């Protein structure tokens, strides 16, 4: 992580409060913007988003193997879904900077949405994470039972189950139009953060059904909103 004395990116603290909402996006990146993508995210996009009211932190990841798609994942923890409908945040979506216009136009295969957090246990932020889109027909009780089992495992920093909220995600924005196609909504999804890549296999305890894809990522950056 970057030196907290020189940038707004700080060391990861214990996350003492459970979040009720977050914004999540999975996407691929067109080769035409790949060389400027990382710098844009850290120098402009994170600071811009994290200066919006109600944003708490942001994390972004890259897949640990070339076969995983989408290759990138980012999510922002917010105080509530209200943060994702605020005038400040909506204005950012409708008035992207020139640099943002160039990079966002290179996003492909996006899955994005404001999400409610249905289950949240753990106080850490793992270097690795795995995500699994779950069968929405599974009972809440069974999901909770499986999630509790995973959350107790050694090496698991945090276990969450999220679900997209169409109303909070809102209408098509200028940024989405730049991506050239509608974002797919976020289904009921497990996000498990872990200390090492050796722990990634624990998500199998959620018993993926046929067609449910496990995606595995390594964190590139963790950033806190400025105080």
């Amino acid at each position: 992580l970057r030196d907290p004395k020189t940038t707004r990116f700080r060391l990861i603290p214990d996350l003492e409060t459970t979040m009720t909402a977050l914004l999540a996006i999975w996407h691929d990146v067109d080769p035409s913007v790949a060389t400027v993508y990382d710098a844009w995210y850290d120098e402009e996009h994170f600071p811009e988003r994290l200066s919006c009211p109600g944003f708490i932190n942001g994390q972004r990841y890259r897949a640990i193997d070339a076969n995983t798609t989408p290759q990138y994942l980012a999510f922002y923890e917010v105080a509530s879904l209200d943060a994702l409908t605020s005038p400040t945040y909506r204005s950012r979506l409708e008035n992207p900077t020139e640099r943002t216009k160039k990079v966002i136009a290179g996003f492909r295969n996006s899955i994005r949405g404001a999400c409610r957090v249905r289950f949240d246990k753990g106080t850490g932020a793992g270097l690795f994470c795995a995500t699994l889109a779950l069968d929405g027909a599974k009972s809440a009780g069974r999901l909770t039972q499986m999630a509790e089992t995973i959350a107790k495992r050694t090496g698991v920093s945090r276990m969450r189950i999220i679900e997209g909220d169409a109303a909070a995600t809102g209408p098509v924005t200028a940024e989405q139009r730049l991506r050239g196609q509608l974002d797919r909504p976020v289904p009921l999804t497990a996000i498990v953060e872990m200390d090492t890549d050796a722990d990634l296999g624990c998500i199998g305890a959620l018993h993926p059904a046929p067609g449910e894809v496990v995606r595995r990522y390594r964190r590139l950056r963790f950033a806190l909103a400025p105080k």
Side-chain angles (χ1 to χ4, degrees):
L1 293 177
R2 297 186 178 184
D3 186 344
K5 296 180 180 178
T6 59
T7 76
R8 71 179 65 225
F9 301 111
R10 309 171 210 165
L11 295 178
I12 299 173
D14 284 340
L15 305 177
E16 297 179 352
T17 58
T18 56
M19 299 295 104
T20 61
L22 57 82
L23 174 70
I25 179 169
W26 291 254
H27 64 276
D28 290 318
V29 174
D30 189 90
S32 64
V33 299
T35 59
V36 297
Y37 172 80
D38 287 318
W40 163 79
Y41 225 120
D42 293 341
E43 295 170 5
E44 178 173 298
H45 197 61
F46 262 159
E48 181 188 83
R49 290 299 191 256
L50 293 173
S51 66
C52 293
F55 276 65
I56 296 168
N57 63 59
Q59 301 185 58
R60 68 183 190 90
Y61 295 80
R62 182 166 54 210
I64 63 173
D65 64 84
N67 295 322
T68 295
T69 185
Q71 273 280 298
Y72 292 91
L73 162 67
F75 56 86
Y76 297 87
E77 293 189 324
V78 294
S80 72
L81 285 175
D82 290 343
L84 303 176
T85 60
S86 74
T88 301
Y89 177 61
R90 291 296 185 185
S91 178
R92 302 277 166 85
L93 294 176
E94 294 295 352
N95 299 282
T97 67
E98 290 304 313
R99 193 177 181 187
T100 294
K101 288 178 183 178
K102 178 179 179 180
V103 178
I104 288 286
F107 279 29
R108 300 288 184 268
N109 194 28
S110 296
I111 304 167
R112 178 190 174 279
C115 302
R116 295 184 180 276
V117 178
R118 290 182 48 174
F119 177 93
D120 184 1
K121 189 162 186 177
T123 58
L127 181 59
F128 294 87
C129 84
T131 71
L132 171 64
L134 299 163
D135 179 356
K138 291 178 178 175
S139 71
R142 178 151 179 75
L143 285 176
T144 300
Q145 182 182 33
M146 290 189 292
E148 289 277 5
T149 298
I150 289 180
K152 293 175 183 177
R153 292 196 177 195
T154 301
V156 172
S157 303
R158 199 164 188 182
M159 167 74 195
R160 278 174 282 201
I161 295 176
I162 64 172
E163 188 168 26
D165 185 295
T169 300
V172 174
T173 65
E175 280 195 5
Q176 185 171 115
R177 286 190 287 273
L178 287 168
R179 292 193 281 275
Q181 60 183 149
L182 292 178
D183 300 328
R184 287 178 283 162
V186 179
L188 188 68
T189 300
I191 300 178
V192 186
E193 297 180 62
M194 288 147 286
D195 296 333
T196 73
D197 57 353
D199 300 317
L200 290 171
C202 74
I203 200 167
L206 287 174
H207 307 298
E212 294 181 344
V213 179
V214 176
R215 299 180 173 99
R216 298 174 174 88
Y217 299 90
R218 187 184 193 281
R219 194 179 62 237
L220 298 174
R221 188 73 66 215
F222 182 106
L224 286 171
K227 293 185 177 180

